[in-house]
Amino acid sequence: MPRAERIEYEDAYYHVMNRGRDRQMIFHGKSYYNVFIEGLAEAHYRFGVEVHAYCLMGNHYHLLLKTPGGNISRVMRHVNGVYTQRYNRLKKTDGPLFRGRFKSILIEQDDYLAGLSRYIHRNPVDMKKLLVSTLCDYRWSSYPAYLNRVKSPDWLYRDEIYAQLGYGQRYKGFRLFTEAGVDEEIEQLYSKNYYPAIIGSKGFKEDVYARLENAELVTRIRKRELDKPDSRVIVKAVAGRMKVDEAEIYYGKRGQLQVARWVAMRLCQTVSGMSLKQIADVFHVSHVSGVSHPISKLRQLLKDDEKLEVLFHELQQNLISR
C-alpha cells in the first residue's frame, strides 16, 4: 500500500500514530509510559506543538496534534527519537523501536476534531481484548484529564474540543459524547489497511492543495484519490474470487447467508472509502442500516473463520495494490 504523503503547514491538525516493529510492545510499564509523556511535553515547549489528545497502548500510540509552526516532521522526530533512546536505556537494549515512519493524517478541525478525540480515547475499550472495563480507569490517555479526574498538564489543549461539543457541563458532556461510541464515518475511515492522507470535506482538501507549493506532491495525493477502485471493480473481483454471480452480490437473496455480498460491501468501505449511503445505493439497500448490520456480521465471521479472513485480506490487498 502506498505510504501516506507528509503534508505540513502552519496551524494544521493531525492524527499521528505509530507502533512497534513486528507489533512488539513499546510500553512495558509505568516508567515507559511516563518517559513518552515527558517527550510530548518537551516537544510542546521546544517546538510549540499543541497536544489535543493522546492514548498510549501496549504496542502503539495515538496523538491528536496541532502544529502552529507547521513542523510535524520535526516534532515527531523528537518524540519518536527521544523515546527510542530512553526505551533502550530502560530496557537495556539497542536498535530501532518503531516499525518505520509515523503515520500522520491531516484532519479538518471543524468537522472531525471532536470525533477523532473520541476515536483515540476509546482505544482501550474498543480493542478486541479490553484493557479496562471503563475508560475512566485507563491511566495512559488524556481522557481522565478531559473529565477533570486528574490535573491537566499545561501542554494539553482541551478547550477547542469542549467548545466544539458545546455542552454546558463540559466534563459530563465530554464523557457522554465519548461513551456514545465511535460514529460510522470515523470507523469507516479507520478501517483496516485504509489510512487517507487527508480527512475532511472536498472544500477542505482543495484548500490544502492550494497551500502546497509542491505541485508533484499535490498530483500524487490527487492520484491516490482517483486510483481507488470503484464498486464495479470490487464486485467483479469478489464475484470471481468467491465464484458467485455479480447480480447475486448487487441484489442478494432474502433470508440467505450472503457472505460474498457482505465482503463486497466491506471492501467498498475499506478500499474505496465509500460512505454507508453510497454503499447502500450501489447494493440497492433502502437504509444505511442495511449496510452497517451486514458489515458487523461479517466482522464476526472474519474473527471466527480463518479461511474467510485470509480470503478477505487477499482481496483487499490485491485491490489496493492493483
Side-chain angles (χ1 to χ4, degrees):
M1 179 181 178
R3 69 185 187 178
E5 304 293 348
R6 197 74 74 213
I7 307 169
E8 302 192 29
Y9 59 85
E10 293 180 356
D11 294 323
Y13 290 81
Y14 300 91
H15 178 196
V16 178
M17 61 198 107
N18 209 343
R19 72 171 66 246
R21 296 177 65 198
D22 301 320
R23 298 181 179 268
Q24 73 180 50
M25 297 289 286
I26 59 175
F27 303 110
H28 300 276
K30 181 178 178 180
S31 298
Y32 295 86
Y33 288 109
N34 282 334
V35 297
F36 187 93
I37 291 171
E38 287 171 10
L40 279 182
E42 291 168 4
H44 165 71
Y45 295 122
R46 289 186 60 180
F47 306 110
V49 67
E50 297 179 6
V51 181
H52 288 257
Y54 68 87
C55 186
L56 314 183
M57 308 295 284
N59 67 356
H60 67 284
Y61 65 74
H62 294 269
L63 309 173
L64 187 54
L65 306 177
K66 179 184 178 181
T67 54
N71 53 351
I72 190 66
S73 294
R74 184 65 190 90
V75 167
M76 293 311 302
R77 189 158 67 246
H78 175 86
V79 171
N80 285 342
V82 166
Y83 182 66
T84 298
Q85 294 172 9
R86 293 171 180 172
Y87 173 95
N88 285 335
R89 283 201 296 269
L90 286 168
K91 195 70 174 169
K92 296 180 171 55
T93 185
D94 194 12
L97 175 62
F98 296 103
R99 66 179 174 182
R101 294 173 89 237
F102 64 92
K103 292 184 181 297
S104 63
I105 302 173
L106 184 68
I107 65 170
E108 185 172 11
Q109 173 196 7
D110 292 341
D111 292 336
Y112 292 93
L113 194 67
L116 260 296
S117 80
R118 173 162 62 182
Y119 172 85
I120 288 170
H121 285 134
R122 286 190 58 84
N123 259 250
V125 296
D126 282 347
M127 291 180 62
K128 290 181 181 179
K129 182 178 180 181
L130 297 181
L131 297 183
V132 289
S133 57
T134 61
L135 286 175
C136 298
D137 295 332
Y138 194 70
R139 298 175 56 191
W140 307 114
S141 84
S142 48
Y143 188 66
Y146 265 91
L147 299 188
N148 217 34
R149 299 291 182 89
V150 299
K151 179 176 172 54
S152 178
D154 59 6
W155 46 264
L156 179 65
Y157 289 71
R158 301 176 296 171
D159 288 345
E160 285 187 55
I161 292 174
Y162 286 146
Q164 203 170 81
L165 294 177
Y167 295 117
Q169 295 178 296
R170 54 169 51 184
Y171 308 131
K172 181 180 179 181
F174 185 82
R175 179 178 62 80
L176 292 173
F177 171 74
T178 304
E179 290 181 355
V182 176
D183 60 82
E184 287 284 354
E185 184 178 7
I186 295 295
E187 185 175 0
Q188 164 192 325
L189 289 168
Y190 283 84
S191 55
K192 193 170 183 179
N193 286 334
Y194 177 70
Y195 293 104
I198 307 173
I199 291 179
S201 64
K202 182 178 179 181
F204 174 72
K205 292 178 182 179
E206 292 299 328
D207 287 343
V208 171
Y209 300 150
R211 287 173 178 265
L212 299 176
E213 296 179 0
N214 187 336
E216 183 181 352
L217 173 59
V218 173
T219 299
R220 288 202 302 269
I221 296 171
R222 288 181 183 274
K223 187 173 185 297
R224 286 182 61 202
E225 294 292 320
L226 294 172
D227 278 351
K228 294 175 185 175
D230 62 22
S231 58
R232 291 170 298 176
V233 173
I234 290 171
V235 169
K236 184 175 181 179
V238 173
R241 184 70 168 80
M242 300 187 73
K243 296 181 173 54
V244 298
D245 293 333
E246 291 184 26
E248 184 177 336
I249 294 176
Y250 280 116
Y251 294 95
K253 295 181 179 179
R254 185 180 297 275
Q256 294 187 13
L257 189 64
Q258 305 169 55
V259 178
R261 178 173 164 86
W262 300 351
V263 166
M265 287 180 172
R266 179 63 170 158
L267 288 172
C268 283
Q269 188 182 58
T270 63
V271 176
S272 289
M274 294 171 62
S275 69
L276 294 176
K277 178 64 170 61
Q278 289 171 326
I279 298 171
D281 290 342
V282 167
F283 293 93
H284 307 281
V285 176
S286 59
H287 193 271
V288 293
S289 62
V291 177
S292 59
H293 291 167
I295 286 176
S296 295
K297 292 177 182 177
L298 177 66
R299 286 182 184 143
Q300 187 58 53
L301 280 177
L302 293 177
K303 292 178 184 178
D304 298 337
D305 188 333
E306 185 176 349
K307 288 184 178 179
L308 180 61
E309 183 181 29
V310 169
L311 181 148
F312 177 84
H313 289 302
E314 284 180 354
L315 276 167
Q316 182 171 247
Q317 194 56 45
N318 289 338
L319 287 163
I320 290 171
S321 59
R322 82 194 207 291

